[in-house]
Amino acid sequence: LEVCFVKCYPSIPLWNDCRRRFGELCCVFRKYDGSNLRFSWSPKRGWYKFGTRTRLFDKTDPVFGPAIDLFAWSFGEGIEKRLIDSGIYKRPESIVAFCEFFGPHSFAGQHDPAFLKVEANDPKRLVLLDVGVYKQGFVPPGQFRKIFAGTMPVAEEITRLPFTEQFCRDVWEGHLTDGEGVIVKGGQGHDIWMAKVKTKAYMERLEAVFGINWKKYW
C-alpha cells in the first residue's frame, strides 16, 4: 500500500477478498468505530494539514475541528520524534498520521453533536492507526507498537497469528472482540497488506439502526 499525501487512507478490503494472504503471519488490531482522520507533517511547517477520508478541514469545522487540538494534546511532537529516534527514519521529508476519531456516542461514522467539544469531560478520543513516511510507505505493523506505544494512544494489538479462514470466522462469532471487529495487517514496506474482519453482532446492530440501508455503513 502506497501512502497518498493528497487523498484518503486506503480502503481496507473485507477478509474474503484477501484469501491469497491465508497462512501469512499478521498483527491483529482492534477496529474502532469512528471517523478516519489524517494529519500531515513537514519539517518546516510541523503538523499543518488535516483531513477526513474525502476532504480537508480546519478548526472551524463543527464536527472534526476539535480533533486538531486533541491531536496536538495527544501526540504533540511525539510521532516525528519517535520515528527519528527509532534510527530507521532519520530525516523524513513528510509524514502522515492516520487516526480514528470516536467516542461512546459514535456509531458507523456518525457522531452525536452533544459531544463535539474537546474539554476535560469530553469523551472523544483519537487513536493512532498508521503512520506513513514519504517514499517509504507505512511503518510496518510489526514495528508500529514498538515505535509508538507507551506514551501516546495507539491502536490496541490483540494478537499475532497466521491469517486463516477459521480465525476470521472466530472474529465473526465475537470470540476475539465484542466491538465492530478487527483489522489485520501483514507484510513490509510497500507490500504491506490489510484486511478487515467484522463481527456478526455489529452487523445486527447496523440492521437494527439503519434497516434496509445498513449495507451503506458496512
Side-chain angles (χ1 to χ4, degrees):
L1 292 171
E2 294 273 356
V3 174
C4 181
F5 292 88
V6 294
K7 296 184 180 179
C8 64
Y9 193 63
S11 178
I12 301 176
L14 289 168
W15 69 269
N16 50 329
D17 293 324
C18 299
R19 292 175 177 270
R20 67 187 181 89
R21 298 292 188 171
F22 279 171
E24 294 187 29
L25 183 65
C26 66
C27 300
V28 181
F29 294 91
R30 183 175 303 278
K31 191 177 191 311
Y32 298 92
D33 187 3
S35 296
N36 186 282
L37 304 182
R38 66 188 191 273
F39 301 82
S40 299
W41 175 91
S42 74
K44 292 184 178 180
R45 303 178 69 180
W47 296 99
Y48 72 100
K49 188 164 63 176
F50 320 100
T52 68
R53 282 183 174 275
T54 58
R55 63 179 177 83
L56 297 178
F57 64 85
D58 59 23
K59 289 186 178 183
T60 66
D61 188 280
V63 178
F64 302 114
I68 296 174
D69 286 339
L70 183 56
F71 180 85
W73 180 81
S74 300
F75 303 101
E77 299 178 352
I79 294 176
E80 66 273 27
K81 185 177 187 302
R82 287 191 171 225
L83 278 174
I84 295 169
D85 289 349
S86 72
I88 303 171
Y89 307 93
K90 295 183 178 180
R91 293 183 179 179
E93 296 179 39
S94 185
I95 299 169
V96 178
F98 297 97
C99 300
E100 195 78 0
F101 179 68
F102 65 99
H105 297 268
S106 301
F107 178 59
Q110 310 299 308
H111 305 284
D112 187 340
F115 293 86
L116 294 179
K117 293 183 179 179
V118 178
E119 299 174 345
N121 63 346
D122 192 288
K124 278 290 187 292
R125 297 177 58 196
L126 272 178
V127 170
L128 186 66
L129 305 178
D130 269 303
V131 175
V133 182
Y134 183 61
K135 294 184 179 179
Q136 298 185 62
F138 284 115
V139 173
Q143 295 177 359
F144 178 78
R145 286 191 61 83
K146 290 181 182 179
I147 294 176
F148 299 111
T151 60
M152 62 182 66
V154 300
E156 176 190 354
E157 184 177 345
I158 299 173
T159 186
R160 297 187 186 189
L161 42 63
F163 182 50
T164 65
E165 184 167 350
Q166 183 58 53
F167 158 75
C168 296
R169 298 195 182 281
D170 287 343
V171 174
W172 170 255
E173 294 295 337
H175 297 322
L176 269 77
T177 176
D178 57 359
E180 181 179 353
V182 300
I183 298 295
V184 298
K185 302 178 184 180
Q188 296 283 332
H190 292 295
D191 187 39
I192 290 175
W193 60 273
M194 305 182 193
K196 56 188 175 186
V197 190
K198 298 194 177 185
T199 64
K200 180 181 179 182
Y202 186 73
M203 182 193 73
E204 291 173 343
R205 187 182 176 194
L206 288 176
E207 289 178 322
V209 173
F210 299 110
I212 61 174
N213 296 316
W214 72 271
K215 288 185 178 180
K216 177 181 176 182
Y217 303 91
W218 180 244

